[in-house]
Amino acid sequence: MAAISGHCTFRSHQFPLSFTVPVASSSSFYGEALRSSSISLASPPSVHRSLISCQASSAASPPSSSVNGTAKGGMKDFLHISDFDKATIMKILDRAAEVKAQLKSGDRSFAPFKGKTMAMIFAKPSMRTRVSFETGFFLLGGHAIYLGPDDIQMGKREETRDVARVLSRYNDIIMARVFGHQDILDLAKFSSVPVINGLTDYNHPCQIMADALTIIEHIGQLEGTKVVYVGDGNNIVHSWLLLASVVPFHFVCACPKGFEPDKETVEKAQKAGISKIEITNDPKEAVKGADVVYSDVWASMGQKEEAAHRRQVFQGFQVDEALMKIAGPKAYFMHCLPAERGVEVTDGVIEAPNSIVFPQAENRMHAQNAIMLHALGL
């Protein structure tokens, strides 16, 4: 346990006053920033005070979290699904269904975000993430501000901690879609308003919340279902593993050798003892009895130079009609999009009656609305 220096920041919600005093603390840190994102699957709740925030000054110090997210005067960050307990996750999903039903009915009277603004940081561009967040926030009365890769250049032109503190003074909530996972952790650490993880190279919690909502709508429940992911053990898989550490279901990841998900995340999810979790290299065996067969691109953003090599390695992992036949007639197909049709999935599978990729895409907005309502304590 190495001693580090830190600080406590005292903030008043009634008066624009803050001051910092030094404190002494000790901390341990494991792994690299991307892989050791301080995810606690079964850690006890941290003690939070509504007007006092204690931060370690070392960049390598893991942020504290509680079973219901990092508290900020009654508001919360949404960084990893495993920061929340099962009851909270299900409550958010129930709220998503309720607000979705109201919006689909044409009723626009529910405007909890009226008078509020959201800063949206995009180090990585995205159609679904931008449109779903911006439209959802607007439909509930708020105003969203898009900040593209050239607007901030976070970590290059300006340090992440400075960006966090400046945007916190202008906005009520921050959403960020970034590359390095440490960036989202730093944003949350130094922001005084809730931070929503719109995607990092490590995980994609908003997507999996939308996926869970979609499964509940089509199957009736998430608990007890068998979800089989076929492809690269990427950030989508990590988020499924984190969900499986909280809500009980059967999760299988079928991927080529050498492309398995992060070992530490797999082990933590398995040790949680909540769900049955399997990692395999045999997609045909994996999909038997699946309720959902899930796929994603083989080469994500930032990996396109590996695309040709990956197409060779991933032969046999395409979700085609033959694989769906093995899964069975009741299996749904899901994909987080964008899809490379003819590569990781055939056109026929995406367009088949049991494909639910477009309701899944729509649910990004509804799940995120509920996440933001929870984060803001509304």
Side-chain angles (χ1 to χ4, degrees):
M1 299 289 282
I4 60 172
S5 62
H7 66 268
C8 281
T9 300
F10 295 73
R11 296 187 182 90
S12 169
H13 297 291
Q14 283 76 35
F15 307 97
L17 171 66
S18 68
F19 58 92
T20 301
V21 296
V23 297
S25 64
S26 62
S27 177
S28 63
F29 185 70
Y30 50 88
E32 298 176 353
L34 177 64
R35 297 301 186 192
S36 62
S37 54
S38 307
I39 300 167
S40 175
L41 302 183
S43 61
S46 299
V47 176
H48 298 286
R49 297 185 187 277
S50 62
L51 298 179
I52 303 176
S53 172
C54 291
Q55 308 267 8
S57 61
S58 169
S61 300
S64 73
S65 62
S66 72
V67 294
N68 290 313
T70 304
K72 295 182 175 182
M75 300 182 290
K76 306 170 186 69
D77 299 318
F78 194 87
L79 307 181
H80 322 96
I81 291 175
S82 55
D83 291 336
F84 301 83
D85 57 23
K86 176 187 171 184
T88 304
I89 292 297
M90 300 311 297
K91 179 181 178 181
I92 293 172
L93 292 172
D94 287 343
R95 189 80 185 278
E98 293 171 6
V99 177
K100 176 181 179 178
Q102 185 168 356
L103 289 174
K104 298 288 274 188
S105 73
D107 183 355
R108 297 292 188 269
S109 62
F110 184 54
F113 300 148
K114 184 177 181 181
K116 297 186 182 298
T117 60
M118 170 173 60
M120 303 189 302
I121 300 172
F122 282 85
K124 281 185 175 184
S126 171
M127 177 182 75
R128 267 156 298 279
T129 300
R130 178 179 178 179
V131 176
S132 59
F133 267 106
E134 190 166 339
T135 302
F137 204 67
F138 170 78
L139 288 175
L140 298 188
H143 175 68
I145 303 164
Y146 174 78
L147 299 167
D150 296 328
D151 294 318
I152 294 182
Q153 295 182 337
M154 193 170 64
K156 295 180 181 179
R157 192 171 71 188
E158 189 166 5
E159 289 193 27
T160 303
R161 56 183 173 177
D162 294 344
V163 171
R165 286 181 283 199
V166 170
L167 291 180
S168 297
R169 291 170 180 263
Y170 297 144
N171 299 278
D172 300 282
I173 190 168
I174 298 170
M175 185 283 295
R177 179 181 170 92
V178 297
F179 287 92
H181 193 68
Q182 191 62 47
D183 287 340
I184 202 75
L185 298 179
D186 289 343
L187 272 174
K189 178 179 179 180
F190 291 100
S191 169
S192 58
V193 300
V195 172
I196 308 297
N197 180 354
L199 174 142
T200 71
D201 285 344
Y202 176 75
N203 72 338
H204 197 356
C206 291
Q207 177 65 59
I208 270 53
M209 289 293 283
D211 297 342
L213 177 62
T214 308
I215 290 172
I216 292 169
E217 288 178 341
H218 287 80
I219 298 178
Q221 62 183 33
L222 174 61
E223 292 188 44
T225 60
K226 182 179 180 180
V227 177
V228 181
Y229 176 97
V230 180
D232 182 31
N234 59 15
N235 52 2
I236 292 293
V237 178
H238 295 157
S239 289
W240 273 113
L241 288 167
L242 298 183
L243 179 62
S245 73
V246 178
V247 179
F249 62 98
H250 185 184
F251 179 71
V252 185
C253 173
C255 53
K257 291 182 179 179
F259 292 87
E260 291 87 357
D262 174 55
K263 183 179 179 181
E264 185 176 337
T265 303
V266 174
E267 290 176 351
K268 284 185 177 182
Q270 290 174 333
K271 287 179 181 178
I274 302 296
S275 300
K276 181 178 180 181
I277 295 169
E278 298 178 272
I279 309 298
T280 179
N281 305 121
D282 186 348
K284 291 181 180 179
E285 186 65 29
V287 300
K288 291 180 180 179
D291 294 294
V292 172
V293 177
Y294 197 114
S295 185
D296 189 11
V297 292
W298 291 342
S300 300
M301 198 176 300
Q303 300 173 326
K304 296 306 180 183
E305 69 281 356
E306 305 175 24
H309 170 66
R310 284 174 175 252
R311 288 194 184 195
Q312 293 179 338
V313 175
F314 281 74
Q315 291 300 311
F317 287 83
Q318 183 187 70
V319 179
D320 55 16
E321 288 82 350
L323 193 65
M324 291 301 295
K325 187 175 182 180
I326 295 173
K330 294 183 179 180
Y332 288 104
F333 175 72
M334 299 180 73
H335 194 299
C336 53
L337 300 179
E340 292 191 72
R341 297 180 183 228
V343 181
E344 76 275 2
V345 61
T346 62
D347 188 78
V349 168
I350 286 186
E351 297 296 341
N354 60 336
S355 169
I356 53 176
V357 298
F358 298 111
Q360 177 188 2
E362 178 189 344
N363 279 339
R364 281 289 301 277
M365 181 178 76
H366 303 300
Q368 289 161 187
N369 280 347
I371 288 168
M372 290 187 289
L373 287 167
H374 182 75
L376 288 167
L378 299 173

